[in-house]
Amino acid sequence: MMAEPTSVLLTGASGYIGGSLLVYLLHKFDLKSQNIKLFTLVRKPEQVQEVVELGENVVPLLGDVQDAEEMKRLVVENSVSVVIETVDARHFPVAKHFIEALCTVKERLGVPVHFIHTSGAKMFSSHVGVDQTSFLNDDGDVYTTVAGFDTRHPVMKQFVSLNNQIIDFAESKGVRAYIVAPPMVYGPGAGFGNKISIQIVALVRVARALGQLYQVDQTDTLWALMHIDDQVKLYATLLSNLIRLQAPYGRDGFYFSENGTFSWRSLSLAIVNALRKRNSLETIQELPVATDDDLIAMGKVLGCDAGMVPVSLAGSCLIHGNNARKLGWVPQHDVQHLMSQVDSEIEFIVKEDSSFASKSDLALR
Ligand SMILES: NC(=O)c1ccc[n+]([C@@H]2O[C@H](COP(=O)([O-])OP(=O)(O)OC[C@H]3O[C@@H](n4cnc5c(N)ncnc54)[C@H](OP(=O)(O)O)[C@@H]3O)[C@@H](O)[C@H]2O)c1
């Protein structure tokens, strides 16, 4: 007799990461042989229809992750034992009520329960005070390292302890927690909703609006990179391993997704030059160093304070993702791929980024 299926809830189905992961799970991951019943959460009624159109292998659930009672009801009523959270990297309450709900499922059904939290590589970067003289390995003692971070950045200070807080709370509730930390993710998303990412889009927006990108740090700095197709494969690898109780979790459950690093200077220069070529302008060899006024202007484009611009578009993030590789994850796209895709990335971003009304390219003419 077939065992009861494992019920998995993926949040953020209309998002870049969640939407791409949903499509991957439906088309490239054998839900049937893994005996998984897949649910996905959206928060707008019209998105329910989008999920329905993806076929019968996924069940849409409607709700807002901020609504603690509703989330608990959805998890418990559907006997969800795995939550993959891709909505809120920064605040504890969303994780807290999913973990509490999973704890209830564990007590009722007597099954292991799992919470995958999507964090961000910024939480392991120079912006929170991580020593950048060597790489931070996710199979080292990340938990203790994080506990020792001393960030003075007023915004990052609020978030730096969140991953450890989630691990501690999950442990206290008997829930297995996994922290997935994507870096700068690029490549076209595959979902029905948002198809574009965050940081590379921010660079393109600034370049389009100001006609220029800048060197924000004193020296060139390196940041970890990840293609969206490799990112979703990491979740899938983790999922199939955790179901078999073979994935490290809790204090050992950090999963940095990276496949090398890119240089902010080289990527910014490539983006500016690709846009300049599109506008029949000569290419440039160097980026100007950002002044305070430039940071203010960049902040205006990005809708943030000047103080947050370096957090969005600069800094150093040297991480190694060994844990997922040990489970069999093999990322394919590296920095050569990123740099070879700048033109097509820009084309795709300009097409998809309709909310960024562009008086923009005027600055490039
Ligand atoms: N993309 C990256 O490069 C990257 C890197 C590191 C970390 N991350 C983190 O990964 C997470 C996902 O990123 P993303 O790029 O996929 O973002 P995204 O495209 O903006 O997707 C966010 C998703 O969350 C949903 N959502 C937002 N608030 C919600 C709420 N209150 N209740 C239910 N659903 C809600 C959105 O739904 P609607 O469509 O209805 O708005 C959307 O489906 C974020 O926490 C982000 O900080 C992303």
Side-chain angles (χ1 to χ4, degrees), residues 9 16 48 65 67 77 84 127 146 151 165 171 177 179-180 201 212 238 241 247 256 278 295 298 300 312-313 332 339:
L9 171 62
Y16 175 65
V48 170
V65 296
D67 184 343
E77 275 184 7
I84 307 175
H127 299 307
V146 168
T151 176
Q165 193 182 6
E171 194 175 284
I179 306 293
V180 172
V201 174
Q212 186 59 279
L238 179 56
N241 278 275
F256 297 161
R278 284 164 71 102
L295 290 175
M298 291 163 90
K300 277 193 186 143
S312 298
L313 299 181
Q332 307 286 332
M339 298 307 287

Side-chain angles (χ1 to χ4, degrees), residues 104-342:
T104 305
V105 172
K106 179 182 63 116
E107 284 164 0
R108 287 202 186 160
L109 303 182
V111 295
V113 289
H114 311 264
F115 179 68
I116 300 179
H117 172 70
T118 302
S119 176
K122 273 193 186 95
M123 314 276 193
F124 308 94
S125 70
S126 56
H127 299 307
V128 295
V130 179
D131 168 31
Q132 294 295 315
T133 54
S134 58
F135 278 76
L136 183 64
N137 290 291
D138 63 0
D139 57 351
D141 189 357
V142 177
Y143 180 94
T144 305
T145 309
V146 168
F149 288 168
D150 179 22
T151 176
R152 284 176 186 80
H153 193 285
V155 176
M156 294 309 289
K157 206 176 175 63
Q158 303 167 48
F159 307 128
V160 67
S161 60
L162 176 64
N163 294 316
N164 281 7
Q165 193 182 6
I166 289 172
I167 288 169
D168 291 344
F169 187 66
E171 194 175 284
S172 76
K173 296 285 176 190
V175 175
R176 294 178 179 223
Y178 311 83
I179 306 293
V180 172
M184 195 281 292
V185 187
Y186 73 100
F192 64 82
N194 181 27
K195 292 181 175 48
I196 52 178
S197 191
I198 300 169
Q199 282 168 303
I200 194 161
V201 174
L203 285 174
V204 173
R205 282 182 174 184
V206 170
R208 291 176 72 196
L210 304 183
Q212 186 59 279
L213 284 169
Y214 301 87
Q215 183 169 318
V216 173
D217 286 327
Q218 299 278 315
T219 55
D220 189 17
T221 45
L222 301 178
W223 196 269
L225 69 93
M226 177 59 17
H227 192 275
I228 185 67
D229 293 353
D230 290 329
Q231 181 63 54
V232 298
K233 282 185 197 162
L234 183 147
Y235 286 98
T237 304
L238 179 56
L239 178 60
S240 52
N241 278 275
L242 69 78
I243 285 173
R244 289 180 272 131
L245 305 184
Q246 287 172 357
Y249 61 93
R251 293 180 182 210
D252 297 323
F254 288 89
Y255 294 85
F256 297 161
S257 52
E258 57 75 27
N259 198 29
T261 55
F262 67 93
S263 127
W264 283 112
R265 177 187 171 280
S266 303
L267 181 60
S268 301
L269 207 47
I271 288 173
V272 171
N273 281 332
L275 284 166
R276 288 178 69 87
K277 275 192 212 153
R278 284 164 71 102
N279 291 281
S280 306
L281 293 172
E282 278 186 20
T283 57
I284 57 170
Q285 302 303 318
E286 285 300 331
L287 298 173
V289 175
T291 63
D292 289 348
D293 285 347
D294 295 329
L295 290 175
I296 291 168
M298 291 163 90
K300 277 193 186 143
V301 175
L302 300 177
C304 66
D305 290 342
M308 281 306 285
V309 171
V311 178
S312 298
L313 299 181
S316 172
C317 180
L318 303 180
I319 51 175
H320 270 159
N322 302 321
N323 279 332
R325 285 177 169 89
K326 287 180 192 169
L327 297 178
W329 175 64
V330 185
Q332 307 286 332
H333 305 81
D334 58 10
V335 66
Q336 280 76 24
H337 182 265
L338 168 67
M339 298 307 287
S340 73
Q341 294 301 301
V342 168

Side-chain angles (χ1 to χ4, degrees), residues 14-17 43-44 47 64-65 86-87 89 119 182-183 194 197:
S14 55
Y16 175 65
I17 292 179
R43 60 173 165 169
K44 297 169 193 145
Q47 295 167 338
D64 190 307
V65 296
T86 74
V87 168
S119 176
N194 181 27
S197 191

